[in-house]
Amino acid sequence: MIVSTKGRYALRVMTDLAQQHNDEFIPLKDIVTRQGISQKYAEAIMALLSKAGLIEATRGKTGGYRLNRAPKDYMVGEILRATEGTLAPVACLEDDAVPCTHSKVCTTLPLWTELNQIVTSFLDSISLEDLTHKRIKSKTATLK
């Protein structure tokens, strides 16, 4: 699994919104300035996040974006899935994968399945609030 810039920037945008979380709409120009992301690329990311129901958007003079839930209620995994589509380490484990003809005899499938479960579990255990408060180290200790 390689997380693209789209996924990494989506996490940065969402943590930015979490840090500003006060029910006000934050102009995109403020977010891109703080995060060093191009306006055009950020617009595409915001469209994905909005379509997934992760943020609210409004237009106009007082327009911008805001979270529609508390930062503790957003998991990193759901944000990455909204922007990346899948987090599966191999194609045969993707949600819409055509069943592999070798799956019944594949000696490596258990490895990929367990890796997928570990990655998914880890990413779904970290909230935006954890990111904004830099509480990741404590989470990794529980996986060992």
Side-chain angles (χ1 to χ4, degrees):
M1 170 192 82
I2 295 178
V3 177
S4 71
T5 55
K6 191 183 336 176
R8 293 192 318 268
Y9 288 0
L11 285 176
R12 286 173 45 192
V13 165
M14 292 292 284
T15 55
D16 189 287
L17 289 172
Q19 290 167 333
Q20 312 303 318
H21 188 64
N22 59 7
D23 284 338
E24 292 181 26
F25 286 93
I26 310 298
L28 187 60
K29 66 180 176 65
D30 294 353
I31 298 167
V32 298
T33 298
R34 282 191 295 270
Q35 296 303 319
I37 302 170
S38 81
Q39 178 98 12
K40 190 168 184 92
Y41 200 37
E43 288 170 355
I45 291 167
M46 296 311 241
L48 291 170
L49 296 171
S50 183
K51 183 179 177 186
L54 299 177
I55 58 172
E56 290 181 62
T58 187
R59 297 180 189 265
K61 186 177 177 182
T62 59
Y65 299 89
R66 70 179 179 193
L67 300 179
N68 56 21
R69 305 188 304 243
K72 69 179 179 59
D73 296 329
Y74 288 91
M75 296 299 137
V76 168
E78 76 176 313
I79 297 165
L80 290 176
R81 283 187 291 276
T83 54
E84 298 291 323
T86 183
L87 300 175
V90 291
C92 63
L93 293 177
E94 292 178 359
D95 290 337
D96 58 352
V98 175
C100 176
T101 58
H102 296 97
S103 64
K104 291 187 190 307
V105 295
C106 181
T107 57
T108 61
L109 184 58
L111 166 82
W112 301 125
T113 301
E114 188 164 346
L115 176 62
N116 189 45
Q117 290 169 348
I118 290 168
V119 169
T120 299
S121 177
F122 175 68
L123 294 175
D124 287 342
S125 74
I126 300 171
S127 70
L128 278 181
E129 186 173 84
D130 292 330
L131 288 179
T132 59
H133 292 98
K134 300 179 181 173
R135 294 189 294 221
I136 305 303
K137 286 184 182 179
S138 63
K139 297 279 184 182
T140 58
T142 62
L143 293 175
K144 294 179 181 178

